[in-house]
Amino acid sequence: MSTPTLRLLSLGAGVQSTTLALMACRGELSGLDGAIFADTGWEPPAVYDQVRRLEAEFATAGIPLHQVGNGHLRKDSLDPQKRFVSIPYFTLAPEGTMVREEITETDDNGHEVIVGYRDRPATRREREGIGRRQCTYQYKIRPINRAVRILLGAPAPNYRRVPAGRVAEQWIGFSTDEIQRVNDRRENKYTIKRFPLLELGMSRKDCERYLRRSGWGHTVKSSCIGCPHHRNDYWRDMRDNRPTEWADAVAFDHAIRKGGASADPLTGEAFLHRSCVPLDLAPIDHITRTEWKDRQLDLFDDLEPDDGDESGCSPYGCVSGAPIARASEAA
Ligand code: SF4
């Protein structure tokens, strides 16, 4: 591969990308020309503190930190004047919703064949669903791509056309336990993805250890306060230790019951918690199987291999595994 014009870190300010930022600032990873932080406007205060702290590290190392955004996700979601952007809410179709099922019979050869269909009322489970995730594209990927094009010299006023031959190597902080989230497909002509933590064989736990050794032991997960992808342990921690954020998320949860400011109100209801119960009543004290597994791994932190953790919202791979819906844009 020819030498990239620029090497740019996509900084989410969570555990993995903070590790990469510190490694670059301390000369353990060479060649970084800049970092880009995409702000949805709705990160917890601890993330903004972290970004400010990183800004000082970058300044000392002479690496520019570019902070970009595309609005305020919370406010925009409730503002009917703004373009609707789908957040992956959990949805519950109304009672009485019908589902169609096959009627089958076994034929003379012992094969099951469809002989008809019948409609029946859906069970509660069958009425549950999840919305599309466009928020990451609109509030993170899109402003990051624009910043990359500007840094590569795309001319005003629309900064769309990157001069031929100019390419950015984009550092993305996926660790070895997140391999299922990695997608190295090229999204456009002007960026090539690179995953330095995978090259170094570093897991999330390795990053946490690195951060502790570096005096950054309190690095928090980066994601919106009211992200539906939060796990029960994250919601509990918010309720018990960050009441202002919890009140904000609960109020938002109530406000989106009919889908927020969408031009087409939902026939059913939308929720932030996967149980499709209002957040302040949701069973967040339930310890999920994944959480038990993580707790056990934490006990044997230095002995056991990593098996994943809840990561923040990455522009390049979803916590849920759901695809990131891409709105039309000449990227
Ligand atoms: S953290 Fe959640 S709500 Fe925020 S942009 Fe990512 S997926 Fe959307």
Side-chain angles (χ1 to χ4, degrees):
M1 188 192 85
S2 55
T3 310
T5 315
L6 291 171
R7 293 186 177 88
L8 299 167
L9 168 65
S10 175
L11 180 75
V15 167
Q16 285 96 334
S17 66
T18 299
T19 302
L20 288 180
L22 294 180
M23 289 179 126
C25 289
R26 292 165 189 192
E28 294 161 33
L29 281 172
S30 58
L32 190 68
D33 297 299
I36 305 175
F37 172 68
D39 183 8
T40 65
W42 201 21
E43 296 274 351
V47 169
Y48 294 113
D49 288 347
Q50 212 153 271
V51 172
R52 276 190 288 275
R53 207 177 153 201
L54 278 170
E55 201 171 13
E57 291 272 344
F58 279 124
T60 307
I63 299 171
L65 169 62
H66 308 275
Q67 300 193 41
V68 298
N70 192 20
H72 189 290
L73 182 52
R74 187 196 197 285
K75 288 186 194 147
D76 297 351
S77 304
L78 301 178
D79 182 349
Q81 304 301 318
K82 297 277 178 174
R83 181 167 165 244
F84 174 68
V85 171
S86 174
I87 293 175
Y89 303 133
F90 295 96
T91 54
L92 185 66
E95 238 173 295
T97 300
M98 303 299 280
V99 289
R100 175 153 293 195
E101 65 182 14
E102 296 165 353
I103 304 169
T104 58
E105 279 178 10
T106 308
D107 68 11
D108 295 343
N109 298 318
H111 298 132
E112 221 176 349
V113 290
I114 300 168
V115 295
Y117 295 90
R118 70 175 150 239
D119 292 335
R120 62 163 174 78
T123 62
R124 157 99 195 188
R125 202 52 186 268
E126 288 168 334
R127 288 192 285 124
E128 292 174 4
I130 185 162
R132 293 206 308 160
R133 180 165 76 132
Q134 295 174 321
C135 43
T136 309
Y137 180 76
Q138 288 296 339
Y139 287 81
K140 292 190 176 181
I141 297 178
R142 199 171 181 177
I144 289 173
N145 283 350
R146 186 170 191 271
V148 170
R149 292 197 301 267
I150 292 172
L151 291 168
L152 286 172
N158 58 19
Y159 305 105
R160 285 208 184 277
R161 286 194 164 279
V162 172
R166 295 180 71 86
V167 171
E169 182 181 272
Q170 200 164 20
W171 293 10
I172 298 169
F174 280 144
S175 47
T176 54
D177 44 290
E178 297 180 304
I179 198 86
Q180 74 284 356
R181 300 175 75 197
V182 173
N183 155 23
D184 59 3
R185 195 184 60 224
R186 278 192 81 165
E187 312 286 347
N188 53 53
K189 286 186 184 152
Y190 54 84
T191 50
I192 295 168
K193 295 175 194 166
R194 184 176 166 193
F195 306 96
L197 293 174
L198 297 185
E199 292 167 19
L200 294 166
M202 288 181 75
S203 66
R204 181 183 169 91
K205 296 267 187 247
D206 291 329
C207 294
E208 286 171 352
R209 281 188 277 267
Y210 178 89
L211 292 173
R212 276 200 296 274
R213 283 198 305 275
S214 309
W216 286 69
H218 293 295
T219 298
V220 295
K221 182 168 89 90
S222 144
S223 59
C224 297
I225 288 173
C227 177
H229 288 315
H230 292 325
R231 284 186 348 190
N232 278 356
D233 50 351
Y234 189 94
W235 286 126
R236 280 200 303 280
D237 183 55
M238 188 191 289
R239 178 195 63 191
D240 299 343
N241 301 309
R242 291 173 280 138
T244 310
E245 287 171 42
W246 174 250
D248 184 18
V250 166
F252 184 73
D253 176 61
H254 280 276
I256 53 119
R257 202 63 77 235
K258 280 290 159 196
S262 165
D264 304 314
L266 284 177
T267 48
E269 293 182 314
F271 300 84
L272 291 186
H273 192 264
R274 63 181 60 247
S275 61
C276 294
V277 168
L279 186 58
D280 43 346
L281 301 172
I284 61 171
D285 287 306
H286 170 71
I287 316 282
T288 60
R289 226 180 313 165
T290 318
E291 207 184 319
W292 275 118
K293 209 159 99 184
D294 284 351
R295 285 181 181 193
Q296 284 165 340
L297 285 175
D298 281 345
L299 285 175
F300 299 104
D301 189 13
D302 291 323
L303 302 174
E304 295 285 340
D306 288 309
D307 196 21
D309 197 342
E310 186 192 28
S311 299
C313 171
S314 165
Y316 305 101
C318 182
V319 176
S320 66
I324 298 168
R326 182 193 163 95
S328 59
E329 184 215 30

